Amino acid sequence: MSLVDLPLLPLGKGRDLDAERGVECPGDLPAASDPDLVARAQAAKAALGDRVFVLGHHYQRDEVIQFADVTGDSFKLARDAAARPDAEFIVFCGVHFMAESADILTSPAQQVVLPDLAAGCSMADMARLRQVEDAWDAMADAGIQDSVVPVTYMNSSADIKAFCGRNGGVVCTSSNADVALDWAFAQKPDVEGGAKILFLPDQHLGRNTAVLQMGISLDECVVWDPLQPSGGLTADELQKARMILWKGHCSVHGRFSEDVVDELRAKHPGINVLVHPECKHEVVLKADLVGSTEFIIKTIEAAEPGTVWAIGTELNLVKRLADAHPDKTIVFLDRNVCYCSTMNRIDLPHLVWAMENLVAGEVVNQITVDPETEADALLALQRMLDLPGKSHRD
């Protein structure tokens, strides 16, 4: 199935149980034009008090972020939830894989709620468990499976994290991907020619980390296409590869192009180009700075007044940074509006609906990971937590 074949499930209606996009949201939402939505959200949050802990991802709308107890990237928020064991309800304003991570890391007594179950992640959807297991079997047929260590980006479903856990692999974030790759390459010291890494599901983060931080050549990176027999690769290509990159990408960061970088440099001499490592390799090569969402935020906070920045990441965050730093010129690294469409499904009506149901004693849109998957995924997450601190390359 290609990306364009995936059902859109507008407004959360419909079912696709094999994908991140989830299940139907029951009940009626408040009207988006309801002028009392803010007051209703405030009242519901006050009524719940310390029983609820609201997490807001950086890419969320401002209308939702205003009700978040903490903001951050996906893994930080999941760990923040785990650090609040007294909170009965974790309302995760993010996307499905993030809420899964929160459920894995929190206690069984805590219930994780995703205000709209259709808030999935197209990147996570690009690596389905069946596809990855088929690829793993194909690597066995090609005689390389024993030398391959799977590494999955945090932006993946719980069952992909679990696959890595039970096959000796690890999870990584955009901040520690190089440390995770160092660890993975060291796991097969007796393999002739060294270990290989199967990097899931974002080819761009894998390629940028391998080439620009690890010194691996582009020729040693191959792309596994799950829609092609044997990933579209020959046995010889697999034998020579060190990085086997899954053919997945972020629908937002994949839009940024090198020609826009050139246009902005011509228009704003001295501009600083700051991008996320999920961007294409050609864009990253033209950037001045590359880093995670937290790195982008901290870089802008520390920048000198009067400096000019083009930022290649999700538009909600870019707009928020521009509003918070009027002493700097901040522009978006694209000609067109580019929100994360699935992240934006978490809007104020969905948040109010979820919170008011909690007040009424009904838990809606609870995200649960089955015990076996949770145990294997936690193993991969724990391996990441046990990695040494950030290297000098961060």
Side-chain angles (χ1 to χ4, degrees), residues 294-304 321 325 327-328:
E294 295 290 347
F295 175 83
I296 289 171
I297 293 170
K298 290 176 181 177
T299 298
I300 295 300
E301 288 175 344
E304 292 292 327
L321 287 171
H325 300 278
D327 59 330
K328 300 150 195 171

Side-chain angles (χ1 to χ4, degrees), residues 36-281:
D36 298 323
L37 280 176
V38 171
R40 288 172 65 176
Q42 290 171 337
K45 195 161 187 277
L48 291 164
D50 292 339
R51 296 175 64 205
V52 70
F53 191 49
V54 181
L55 309 176
H57 191 272
H58 286 308
Y59 297 167
Q60 286 293 323
R61 311 161 181 247
D62 286 344
E63 68 185 51
V64 170
I65 285 291
Q66 65 179 314
F67 294 105
D69 293 303
V70 293
T71 59
D73 58 19
S74 59
F75 188 57
K76 173 186 179 296
L77 292 175
R79 295 188 73 183
D80 285 343
R84 291 290 297 267
D86 295 333
E88 184 179 349
F89 307 117
I90 305 298
V91 177
F92 207 127
C93 299
V95 295
H96 194 273
F97 77 79
M98 301 177 187
E100 284 185 327
S101 294
D103 184 60
I104 290 168
L105 294 176
T106 52
S107 75
Q110 294 175 287
Q111 299 175 85
V112 178
V113 170
L114 184 66
D116 185 355
L117 291 179
C121 170
S122 60
M123 179 200 294
D125 280 342
M126 291 177 193
R128 311 272 185 108
L129 179 60
R130 184 181 68 247
Q131 293 174 324
V132 176
E133 289 175 337
D134 287 346
W136 197 243
D137 290 342
M139 290 176 196
D141 293 340
I144 67 164
Q145 188 194 85
D146 289 344
S147 65
V148 178
V149 179
V151 177
T152 191
Y153 188 22
M154 183 62 64
N155 298 25
S156 58
S157 61
D159 55 9
I160 298 302
K161 293 182 178 74
F163 171 87
C164 290
R166 60 180 172 267
N167 288 288
V170 69
V171 179
C172 75
T173 69
S174 55
S175 297
N176 69 6
D178 63 332
V179 183
L181 294 191
D182 270 334
W183 175 90
F185 281 127
Q187 297 311 297
K188 305 281 185 177
D190 299 325
V191 171
E192 184 178 353
K196 303 176 187 294
I197 290 175
L198 170 62
F199 194 90
L200 302 152
D202 180 22
Q203 62 171 306
H204 300 305
L205 176 62
R207 182 182 296 105
N208 289 327
T209 305
V211 174
L212 301 179
Q213 295 185 264
M214 310 295 294
I216 295 171
S217 72
L218 280 173
D219 291 340
E220 294 175 296
C221 300
V222 296
V223 177
W224 183 281
D225 184 348
L227 304 181
Q228 299 293 326
S230 299
L233 299 169
T234 66
D236 185 58
E237 288 172 321
L238 287 170
Q239 289 287 348
K240 292 179 179 177
R242 295 187 67 195
M243 291 290 295
I244 303 169
L245 306 168
W246 194 262
K247 191 177 181 180
H249 64 275
C250 170
S251 58
V252 170
H253 292 100
R255 289 176 54 93
F256 301 120
S257 60
E258 55 269 35
D259 62 312
V260 175
V261 176
D262 295 336
E263 288 179 13
L264 288 172
R265 289 199 188 282
K267 184 177 180 180
H268 303 280
I271 194 171
N272 302 281
V273 178
L274 172 60
V275 303
H276 195 281
E278 290 175 22
C279 292
K280 292 183 292 186
H281 189 63

